[in-house]
Protein backbone atom coordinates (compact mmCIF):
# COMPACT_ATOMS: atom_id res chain seq x y z
CA UNK A 1 0.00 0.00 0.00
CA UNK A 2 1.28 3.44 -0.93
CA UNK A 3 2.63 5.69 1.80
CA UNK A 4 1.85 9.39 1.62
CA UNK A 5 4.44 12.06 2.38
CA UNK A 6 2.01 14.60 3.82
CA UNK A 7 -1.54 15.28 4.93
CA UNK A 8 -1.81 17.57 1.92
CA UNK A 9 -1.08 14.62 -0.38
CA UNK A 10 -3.64 12.41 1.43
CA UNK A 11 -6.32 15.10 1.14
CA UNK A 12 -5.51 15.76 -2.49
CA UNK A 13 -5.89 12.06 -3.33
CA UNK A 14 -9.17 11.81 -1.40
CA UNK A 15 -10.66 14.95 -2.94
CA UNK A 16 -9.58 14.04 -6.47
CA UNK A 17 -11.20 10.59 -6.17
CA UNK A 18 -14.38 11.99 -4.61
CA UNK A 19 -14.60 14.67 -7.31
CA UNK A 20 -14.46 11.89 -9.93
CA UNK A 21 -17.16 9.90 -8.12
CA UNK A 22 -14.63 7.19 -7.23
CA UNK A 23 -15.70 6.70 -3.62
CA UNK A 24 -18.40 5.19 -1.48
CA UNK A 25 -19.46 5.47 2.14
CA UNK A 26 -19.81 2.09 3.84
CA UNK A 27 -23.44 1.42 4.69
CA UNK A 28 -23.32 -2.34 5.19
CA UNK A 29 -24.73 -4.17 8.23
CA UNK A 30 -21.50 -3.51 10.19
CA UNK A 31 -21.80 0.25 9.62
CA UNK A 32 -25.09 1.01 11.37
CA UNK A 33 -23.50 4.02 13.04
CA UNK A 34 -22.92 5.60 9.60
CA UNK A 35 -26.57 5.07 8.66
CA UNK A 36 -27.92 6.36 12.00
CA UNK A 37 -25.74 9.49 11.75
CA UNK A 38 -26.89 10.21 8.21
CA UNK A 39 -30.52 9.81 9.25
CA UNK A 40 -30.22 11.82 12.48
CA UNK A 41 -28.83 14.86 10.67
CA UNK A 42 -30.75 14.24 7.43
CA UNK A 43 -27.57 14.20 5.37
CA UNK A 44 -27.93 13.35 1.71
CA UNK A 45 -25.16 11.70 -0.29
CA UNK A 46 -24.53 15.14 -1.78
CA UNK A 47 -24.18 16.65 1.74
CA UNK A 48 -21.70 13.98 2.75
CA UNK A 49 -19.73 14.45 -0.47
CA UNK A 50 -19.53 18.20 0.20
CA UNK A 51 -18.34 17.62 3.78
CA UNK A 52 -15.51 15.47 2.42
CA UNK A 53 -14.58 18.02 -0.25
CA UNK A 54 -14.47 20.76 2.43
CA UNK A 55 -11.98 18.90 4.66
CA UNK A 56 -8.77 20.75 5.46
CA UNK A 57 -5.40 19.70 6.80
CA UNK A 58 -6.49 21.11 10.17
CA UNK A 59 -9.24 18.47 10.33
CA UNK A 60 -6.66 15.65 10.18
CA UNK A 61 -6.08 13.53 13.28
CA UNK A 62 -3.84 10.63 12.23
CA UNK A 63 -3.18 7.71 9.92
CA UNK A 64 -3.10 4.20 11.35
CA UNK A 65 -2.58 0.67 10.10
CA UNK A 66 -5.74 -1.35 9.62
CA UNK A 67 -6.07 -3.78 12.53
CA UNK A 68 -8.34 -6.24 10.67
CA UNK A 69 -6.65 -9.57 9.98
CA UNK A 70 -5.52 -9.76 6.38
CA UNK A 71 -5.64 -5.97 5.89
CA UNK A 72 -2.71 -4.92 8.08
CA UNK A 73 -0.92 -3.43 5.06
CA UNK A 74 -3.68 -0.82 4.59
CA UNK A 75 -3.46 2.68 6.03
CA UNK A 76 -6.60 4.35 7.36
CA UNK A 77 -6.69 8.16 7.42
CA UNK A 78 -8.78 9.80 10.13
CA UNK A 79 -10.30 13.28 10.08
CA UNK A 80 -12.56 15.03 12.60
CA UNK A 81 -14.13 18.22 11.28
CA UNK A 82 -16.37 20.18 13.63
CA UNK A 83 -19.57 21.10 11.81
CA UNK A 84 -22.82 22.89 12.54
CA UNK A 85 -25.49 20.33 11.72
CA UNK A 86 -29.26 20.40 12.17
CA UNK A 87 -30.83 17.44 13.92
CA UNK A 88 -34.26 15.99 13.17
CA UNK A 89 -35.91 18.74 15.27
CA UNK A 90 -34.21 21.37 13.11
CA UNK A 91 -31.94 22.56 15.94
CA UNK A 92 -28.39 23.46 14.99
CA UNK A 93 -25.63 21.73 16.95
CA UNK A 94 -21.83 21.68 16.77
CA UNK A 95 -20.83 18.12 16.00
CA UNK A 96 -17.41 16.59 15.61
CA UNK A 97 -17.61 14.10 12.76
CA UNK A 98 -15.34 11.05 12.70
CA UNK A 99 -14.42 10.28 9.10
CA UNK A 100 -12.08 7.37 8.37
CA UNK A 101 -10.82 6.78 4.83
CA UNK A 102 -9.18 3.84 3.13
CA UNK A 103 -7.54 4.74 -0.18
CA UNK A 104 -7.46 1.73 -2.49
CA UNK A 105 -5.25 1.87 -5.55
CA UNK A 106 -6.79 0.56 -8.74
CA UNK A 107 -6.26 2.06 -12.22
CA UNK A 108 -7.02 5.34 -10.52
CA UNK A 109 -7.70 5.72 -6.80
CA UNK A 110 -10.87 4.54 -5.11
CA UNK A 111 -11.69 5.98 -1.71
CA UNK A 112 -13.71 3.93 0.71
CA UNK A 113 -15.20 5.98 3.53
CA UNK A 114 -15.20 3.34 6.24
CA UNK A 115 -16.64 5.54 8.98
CA UNK A 116 -18.76 8.69 8.78
CA UNK A 117 -20.43 9.37 12.11
CA UNK A 118 -20.36 11.48 15.25
CA UNK A 119 -17.05 11.14 17.10
CA UNK A 120 -17.28 8.90 20.17
CA UNK A 121 -14.46 10.77 21.89
CA UNK A 122 -12.82 14.18 21.55
CA UNK A 123 -10.30 14.06 18.73
CA UNK A 124 -6.93 15.81 18.77
CA UNK A 125 -6.68 17.37 15.34
CA UNK A 126 -3.67 18.78 13.51
CA UNK A 127 -4.98 22.29 14.23
CA UNK A 128 -4.63 21.57 17.98
CA UNK A 129 -1.15 20.08 17.69
CA UNK A 130 0.51 23.26 16.45
Amino acid sequence: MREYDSVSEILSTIKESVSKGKYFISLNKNRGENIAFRNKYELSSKDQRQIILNLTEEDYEKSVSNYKEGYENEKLHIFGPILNLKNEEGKSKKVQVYIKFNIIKDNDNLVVVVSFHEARRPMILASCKK
Side-chain angles (χ1 to χ4, degrees), residues 2-34:
R2 180 187 187 309
E3 292 289 328
Y4 292 90
D5 294 327
S6 67
V7 175
S8 174
E9 194 177 345
I10 293 166
L11 261 180
S12 177
T13 299
I14 290 169
K15 289 181 179 186
E16 182 179 327
S17 292
V18 169
S19 293
K20 292 177 180 176
K22 294 187 61 69
Y23 77 104
F24 66 89
I25 297 173
S26 292
L27 298 174
N28 62 36
K29 64 181 180 168
N30 299 323
R31 297 291 169 199
E33 209 169 358
N34 293 351

mmCIF file of all heavy atoms in Angstrom, residues 2-34:
data_model
loop_
_atom_site.group_PDB
_atom_site.id
_atom_site.type_symbol
_atom_site.label_atom_id
_atom_site.label_comp_id
_atom_site.label_asym_id
_atom_site.label_seq_id
_atom_site.Cartn_x
_atom_site.Cartn_y
_atom_site.Cartn_z
ATOM 1 N N ARG A 2 0.526 2.209 -0.751
ATOM 2 C CA ARG A 2 1.281 3.439 -0.928
ATOM 3 C C ARG A 2 1.312 4.272 0.354
ATOM 4 O O ARG A 2 0.314 4.427 1.019
ATOM 5 C CB ARG A 2 0.599 4.238 -2.040
ATOM 6 C CG ARG A 2 1.245 5.554 -2.372
ATOM 7 C CD ARG A 2 0.330 6.274 -3.369
ATOM 8 N NE ARG A 2 0.777 7.472 -3.955
ATOM 9 C CZ ARG A 2 1.269 8.529 -3.345
ATOM 10 N NH1 ARG A 2 1.464 8.516 -2.067
ATOM 11 N NH2 ARG A 2 1.602 9.619 -4.001
ATOM 12 N N GLU A 3 2.484 4.768 0.678
ATOM 13 C CA GLU A 3 2.635 5.694 1.802
ATOM 14 C C GLU A 3 2.558 7.117 1.263
ATOM 15 O O GLU A 3 3.039 7.399 0.168
ATOM 16 C CB GLU A 3 3.994 5.491 2.495
ATOM 17 C CG GLU A 3 4.115 4.168 3.217
ATOM 18 C CD GLU A 3 3.275 4.072 4.472
ATOM 19 O OE1 GLU A 3 3.070 5.097 5.151
ATOM 20 O OE2 GLU A 3 2.809 2.964 4.781
ATOM 21 N N TYR A 4 1.966 7.990 2.029
ATOM 22 C CA TYR A 4 1.853 9.390 1.623
ATOM 23 C C TYR A 4 2.851 10.221 2.415
ATOM 24 O O TYR A 4 3.104 9.952 3.587
ATOM 25 C CB TYR A 4 0.425 9.894 1.844
ATOM 26 C CG TYR A 4 -0.554 9.239 0.903
ATOM 27 C CD1 TYR A 4 -1.197 8.056 1.245
ATOM 28 C CD2 TYR A 4 -0.796 9.782 -0.350
ATOM 29 C CE1 TYR A 4 -2.069 7.436 0.366
ATOM 30 C CE2 TYR A 4 -1.671 9.174 -1.237
ATOM 31 C CZ TYR A 4 -2.298 8.009 -0.871
ATOM 32 O OH TYR A 4 -3.156 7.396 -1.759
ATOM 33 N N ASP A 5 3.425 11.227 1.748
ATOM 34 C CA ASP A 5 4.439 12.056 2.382
ATOM 35 C C ASP A 5 3.855 13.143 3.276
ATOM 36 O O ASP A 5 4.528 13.640 4.154
ATOM 37 C CB ASP A 5 5.325 12.720 1.315
ATOM 38 C CG ASP A 5 6.134 11.686 0.549
ATOM 39 O OD1 ASP A 5 6.521 10.661 1.147
ATOM 40 O OD2 ASP A 5 6.367 11.901 -0.646
ATOM 41 N N SER A 6 2.578 13.500 3.040
ATOM 42 C CA SER A 6 2.006 14.605 3.819
ATOM 43 C C SER A 6 0.491 14.498 3.868
ATOM 44 O O SER A 6 -0.136 13.808 3.053
ATOM 45 C CB SER A 6 2.394 15.938 3.179
ATOM 46 O OG SER A 6 1.760 16.072 1.904
ATOM 47 N N VAL A 7 -0.084 15.198 4.818
ATOM 48 C CA VAL A 7 -1.537 15.282 4.932
ATOM 49 C C VAL A 7 -2.098 15.927 3.675
ATOM 50 O O VAL A 7 -3.143 15.511 3.168
ATOM 51 C CB VAL A 7 -1.944 16.084 6.190
ATOM 52 C CG1 VAL A 7 -3.453 16.283 6.251
ATOM 53 C CG2 VAL A 7 -1.441 15.395 7.446
ATOM 54 N N SER A 8 -1.389 16.899 3.146
ATOM 55 C CA SER A 8 -1.810 17.570 1.919
ATOM 56 C C SER A 8 -1.974 16.564 0.782
ATOM 57 O O SER A 8 -2.950 16.606 0.027
ATOM 58 C CB SER A 8 -0.787 18.647 1.555
ATOM 59 O OG SER A 8 -1.085 19.207 0.314
ATOM 60 N N GLU A 9 -1.045 15.631 0.672
ATOM 61 C CA GLU A 9 -1.085 14.617 -0.380
ATOM 62 C C GLU A 9 -2.260 13.648 -0.154
ATOM 63 O O GLU A 9 -2.940 13.261 -1.102
ATOM 64 C CB GLU A 9 0.244 13.861 -0.405
ATOM 65 C CG GLU A 9 0.437 13.040 -1.641
ATOM 66 C CD GLU A 9 1.804 12.357 -1.675
ATOM 67 O OE1 GLU A 9 2.710 12.716 -0.904
ATOM 68 O OE2 GLU A 9 1.936 11.446 -2.496
ATOM 69 N N ILE A 10 -2.504 13.284 1.106
ATOM 70 C CA ILE A 10 -3.642 12.410 1.433
ATOM 71 C C ILE A 10 -4.942 13.095 1.025
ATOM 72 O O ILE A 10 -5.785 12.517 0.339
ATOM 73 C CB ILE A 10 -3.665 12.074 2.946
ATOM 74 C CG1 ILE A 10 -2.475 11.212 3.330
ATOM 75 C CG2 ILE A 10 -4.986 11.389 3.327
ATOM 76 C CD1 ILE A 10 -2.236 11.106 4.825
ATOM 77 N N LEU A 11 -5.099 14.346 1.456
ATOM 78 C CA LEU A 11 -6.321 15.099 1.137
ATOM 79 C C LEU A 11 -6.508 15.283 -0.356
ATOM 80 O O LEU A 11 -7.620 15.153 -0.866
ATOM 81 C CB LEU A 11 -6.276 16.473 1.812
ATOM 82 C CG LEU A 11 -7.048 16.629 3.105
ATOM 83 C CD1 LEU A 11 -6.903 18.037 3.647
ATOM 84 C CD2 LEU A 11 -8.488 16.238 2.975
ATOM 85 N N SER A 12 -5.446 15.573 -1.041
ATOM 86 C CA SER A 12 -5.509 15.763 -2.486
ATOM 87 C C SER A 12 -6.009 14.492 -3.169
ATOM 88 O O SER A 12 -6.872 14.541 -4.049
ATOM 89 C CB SER A 12 -4.134 16.156 -3.015
ATOM 90 O OG SER A 12 -4.164 16.273 -4.404
ATOM 91 N N THR A 13 -5.483 13.344 -2.764
ATOM 92 C CA THR A 13 -5.894 12.064 -3.335
ATOM 93 C C THR A 13 -7.370 11.797 -3.040
ATOM 94 O O THR A 13 -8.128 11.395 -3.924
ATOM 95 C CB THR A 13 -5.016 10.925 -2.776
ATOM 96 O OG1 THR A 13 -3.658 11.183 -3.134
ATOM 97 C CG2 THR A 13 -5.443 9.570 -3.327
ATOM 98 N N ILE A 14 -7.774 12.026 -1.783
ATOM 99 C CA ILE A 14 -9.173 11.809 -1.404
ATOM 100 C C ILE A 14 -10.090 12.711 -2.219
ATOM 101 O O ILE A 14 -11.064 12.247 -2.823
ATOM 102 C CB ILE A 14 -9.368 12.063 0.113
ATOM 103 C CG1 ILE A 14 -8.692 10.950 0.929
ATOM 104 C CG2 ILE A 14 -10.854 12.187 0.466
ATOM 105 C CD1 ILE A 14 -8.586 11.225 2.414
ATOM 106 N N LYS A 15 -9.786 13.997 -2.254
ATOM 107 C CA LYS A 15 -10.662 14.954 -2.940
ATOM 108 C C LYS A 15 -10.722 14.704 -4.448
ATOM 109 O O LYS A 15 -11.781 14.833 -5.063
ATOM 110 C CB LYS A 15 -10.229 16.385 -2.633
ATOM 111 C CG LYS A 15 -10.531 16.778 -1.193
ATOM 112 C CD LYS A 15 -10.113 18.211 -0.912
ATOM 113 C CE LYS A 15 -10.445 18.609 0.507
ATOM 114 N NZ LYS A 15 -10.188 20.032 0.750
ATOM 115 N N GLU A 16 -9.599 14.333 -5.031
ATOM 116 C CA GLU A 16 -9.582 14.039 -6.467
ATOM 117 C C GLU A 16 -10.482 12.838 -6.771
ATOM 118 O O GLU A 16 -11.280 12.858 -7.710
ATOM 119 C CB GLU A 16 -8.155 13.768 -6.937
ATOM 120 C CG GLU A 16 -8.045 13.498 -8.418
ATOM 121 C CD GLU A 16 -6.603 13.268 -8.858
ATOM 122 O OE1 GLU A 16 -5.674 13.866 -8.278
ATOM 123 O OE2 GLU A 16 -6.422 12.468 -9.800
ATOM 124 N N SER A 17 -10.371 11.787 -5.961
ATOM 125 C CA SER A 17 -11.195 10.594 -6.168
ATOM 126 C C SER A 17 -12.673 10.894 -5.950
ATOM 127 O O SER A 17 -13.520 10.462 -6.731
ATOM 128 C CB SER A 17 -10.741 9.471 -5.232
ATOM 129 O OG SER A 17 -9.456 9.032 -5.606
ATOM 130 N N VAL A 18 -12.986 11.650 -4.899
ATOM 131 C CA VAL A 18 -14.381 11.993 -4.610
ATOM 132 C C VAL A 18 -14.951 12.867 -5.727
ATOM 133 O O VAL A 18 -16.085 12.668 -6.162
ATOM 134 C CB VAL A 18 -14.500 12.667 -3.223
ATOM 135 C CG1 VAL A 18 -15.887 13.265 -3.010
ATOM 136 C CG2 VAL A 18 -14.173 11.655 -2.120
ATOM 137 N N SER A 19 -14.162 13.807 -6.209
ATOM 138 C CA SER A 19 -14.604 14.666 -7.311
ATOM 139 C C SER A 19 -14.950 13.862 -8.556
ATOM 140 O O SER A 19 -15.846 14.218 -9.313
ATOM 141 C CB SER A 19 -13.539 15.707 -7.658
ATOM 142 O OG SER A 19 -13.390 16.624 -6.606
ATOM 143 N N LYS A 20 -14.223 12.746 -8.761
ATOM 144 C CA LYS A 20 -14.459 11.886 -9.928
ATOM 145 C C LYS A 20 -15.567 10.859 -9.666
ATOM 146 O O LYS A 20 -15.877 10.051 -10.535
ATOM 147 C CB LYS A 20 -13.180 11.128 -10.290
ATOM 148 C CG LYS A 20 -12.072 11.998 -10.813
ATOM 149 C CD LYS A 20 -10.843 11.144 -11.074
ATOM 150 C CE LYS A 20 -9.682 11.951 -11.593
ATOM 151 N NZ LYS A 20 -8.476 11.112 -11.755
ATOM 152 N N GLY A 21 -16.128 10.882 -8.457
ATOM 153 C CA GLY A 21 -17.157 9.899 -8.116
ATOM 154 C C GLY A 21 -16.599 8.532 -7.781
ATOM 155 O O GLY A 21 -17.332 7.550 -7.711
ATOM 156 N N LYS A 22 -15.297 8.453 -7.540
ATOM 157 C CA LYS A 22 -14.634 7.187 -7.228
ATOM 158 C C LYS A 22 -14.502 7.026 -5.706
ATOM 159 O O LYS A 22 -13.406 7.049 -5.150
ATOM 160 C CB LYS A 22 -13.274 7.096 -7.909
ATOM 161 C CG LYS A 22 -13.375 7.026 -9.431
ATOM 162 C CD LYS A 22 -12.059 6.757 -10.090
ATOM 163 C CE LYS A 22 -11.405 5.486 -9.724
ATOM 164 N NZ LYS A 22 -11.990 4.237 -10.160
ATOM 165 N N TYR A 23 -15.675 6.880 -5.071
ATOM 166 C CA TYR A 23 -15.696 6.698 -3.623
ATOM 167 C C TYR A 23 -17.050 6.112 -3.234
ATOM 168 O O TYR A 23 -18.004 6.142 -4.008
ATOM 169 C CB TYR A 23 -15.492 8.024 -2.891
ATOM 170 C CG TYR A 23 -16.717 8.908 -2.857
ATOM 171 C CD1 TYR A 23 -17.470 9.024 -1.694
ATOM 172 C CD2 TYR A 23 -17.139 9.600 -3.978
ATOM 173 C CE1 TYR A 23 -18.611 9.819 -1.665
ATOM 174 C CE2 TYR A 23 -18.263 10.397 -3.951
ATOM 175 C CZ TYR A 23 -18.998 10.491 -2.792
ATOM 176 O OH TYR A 23 -20.128 11.274 -2.762
ATOM 177 N N PHE A 24 -17.104 5.554 -2.046
ATOM 178 C CA PHE A 24 -18.396 5.193 -1.478
ATOM 179 C C PHE A 24 -18.276 5.203 0.036
ATOM 180 O O PHE A 24 -17.198 5.012 0.596
ATOM 181 C CB PHE A 24 -18.926 3.854 -2.007
ATOM 182 C CG PHE A 24 -18.127 2.645 -1.608
ATOM 183 C CD1 PHE A 24 -18.403 1.957 -0.435
ATOM 184 C CD2 PHE A 24 -17.109 2.172 -2.425
ATOM 185 C CE1 PHE A 24 -17.678 0.833 -0.081
ATOM 186 C CE2 PHE A 24 -16.382 1.037 -2.089
ATOM 187 C CZ PHE A 24 -16.662 0.368 -0.907
ATOM 188 N N ILE A 25 -19.394 5.468 0.686
ATOM 189 C CA ILE A 25 -19.464 5.466 2.142
ATOM 190 C C ILE A 25 -20.061 4.128 2.556
ATOM 191 O O ILE A 25 -21.136 3.743 2.094
ATOM 192 C CB ILE A 25 -20.314 6.643 2.649
ATOM 193 C CG1 ILE A 25 -19.638 7.962 2.255
ATOM 194 C CG2 ILE A 25 -20.506 6.553 4.168
ATOM 195 C CD1 ILE A 25 -20.435 9.216 2.532
ATOM 196 N N SER A 26 -19.356 3.413 3.407
ATOM 197 C CA SER A 26 -19.806 2.086 3.836
ATOM 198 C C SER A 26 -21.133 2.182 4.576
ATOM 199 O O SER A 26 -21.251 2.909 5.559
ATOM 200 C CB SER A 26 -18.765 1.437 4.752
ATOM 201 O OG SER A 26 -17.603 1.133 4.033
ATOM 202 N N LEU A 27 -22.107 1.442 4.077
ATOM 203 C CA LEU A 27 -23.437 1.418 4.694
ATOM 204 C C LEU A 27 -23.913 -0.021 4.885
ATOM 205 O O LEU A 27 -25.098 -0.292 4.946
ATOM 206 C CB LEU A 27 -24.435 2.190 3.817
ATOM 207 C CG LEU A 27 -24.133 3.672 3.614
ATOM 208 C CD1 LEU A 27 -25.099 4.289 2.614
ATOM 209 C CD2 LEU A 27 -24.179 4.433 4.932
ATOM 210 N N ASN A 28 -22.949 -0.932 5.019
ATOM 211 C CA ASN A 28 -23.324 -2.342 5.194
ATOM 212 C C ASN A 28 -23.797 -2.606 6.623
ATOM 213 O O ASN A 28 -23.823 -1.707 7.464
ATOM 214 C CB ASN A 28 -22.169 -3.266 4.786
ATOM 215 C CG ASN A 28 -20.941 -3.064 5.649
ATOM 216 O OD1 ASN A 28 -21.012 -2.815 6.848
ATOM 217 N ND2 ASN A 28 -19.763 -3.174 5.033
ATOM 218 N N LYS A 29 -24.157 -3.828 6.920
ATOM 219 C CA LYS A 29 -24.727 -4.175 8.232
ATOM 220 C C LYS A 29 -23.778 -3.885 9.396
ATOM 221 O O LYS A 29 -24.220 -3.692 10.517
ATOM 222 C CB LYS A 29 -25.150 -5.640 8.256
ATOM 223 C CG LYS A 29 -24.004 -6.619 8.104
ATOM 224 C CD LYS A 29 -24.479 -8.046 8.115
ATOM 225 C CE LYS A 29 -23.252 -8.933 7.954
ATOM 226 N NZ LYS A 29 -23.462 -10.287 8.191
ATOM 227 N N ASN A 30 -22.478 -3.817 9.132
ATOM 228 C CA ASN A 30 -21.499 -3.510 10.188
ATOM 229 C C ASN A 30 -21.311 -2.005 10.386
ATOM 230 O O ASN A 30 -20.541 -1.597 11.242
ATOM 231 C CB ASN A 30 -20.148 -4.147 9.853
ATOM 232 C CG ASN A 30 -20.236 -5.650 9.760
ATOM 233 O OD1 ASN A 30 -20.954 -6.285 10.513
ATOM 234 N ND2 ASN A 30 -19.516 -6.225 8.810
ATOM 235 N N ARG A 31 -21.974 -1.203 9.585
ATOM 236 C CA ARG A 31 -21.799 0.253 9.625
ATOM 237 C C ARG A 31 -23.091 0.969 9.978
ATOM 238 O O ARG A 31 -23.415 2.020 9.445
ATOM 239 C CB ARG A 31 -21.258 0.747 8.278
ATOM 240 C CG ARG A 31 -19.889 0.189 7.943
ATOM 241 C CD ARG A 31 -18.844 0.744 8.849
ATOM 242 N NE ARG A 31 -17.590 0.026 8.694
ATOM 243 C CZ ARG A 31 -16.629 0.058 9.588
ATOM 244 N NH1 ARG A 31 -16.766 0.744 10.697
ATOM 245 N NH2 ARG A 31 -15.517 -0.610 9.385
ATOM 246 N N GLY A 32 -23.834 0.419 10.923
ATOM 247 C CA GLY A 32 -25.091 1.008 11.374
ATOM 248 C C GLY A 32 -24.925 2.420 11.902
ATOM 249 O O GLY A 32 -25.815 3.265 11.763
ATOM 250 N N GLU A 33 -23.771 2.685 12.504
ATOM 251 C CA GLU A 33 -23.496 4.023 13.043
ATOM 252 C C GLU A 33 -23.467 5.066 11.916
ATOM 253 O O GLU A 33 -23.927 6.186 12.098
ATOM 254 C CB GLU A 33 -22.154 3.991 13.778
ATOM 255 C CG GLU A 33 -22.047 4.971 14.899
ATOM 256 C CD GLU A 33 -20.818 4.738 15.764
ATOM 257 O OE1 GLU A 33 -20.039 3.786 15.531
ATOM 258 O OE2 GLU A 33 -20.631 5.549 16.681
ATOM 259 N N ASN A 34 -22.941 4.687 10.758
ATOM 260 C CA ASN A 34 -22.920 5.604 9.605
ATOM 261 C C ASN A 34 -24.343 5.915 9.146
ATOM 262 O O ASN A 34 -24.671 7.062 8.837
ATOM 263 C CB ASN A 34 -22.144 4.984 8.433
ATOM 264 C CG ASN A 34 -20.661 4.830 8.713
ATOM 265 O OD1 ASN A 34 -20.141 5.316 9.705
ATOM 266 N ND2 ASN A 34 -19.983 4.137 7.821
#
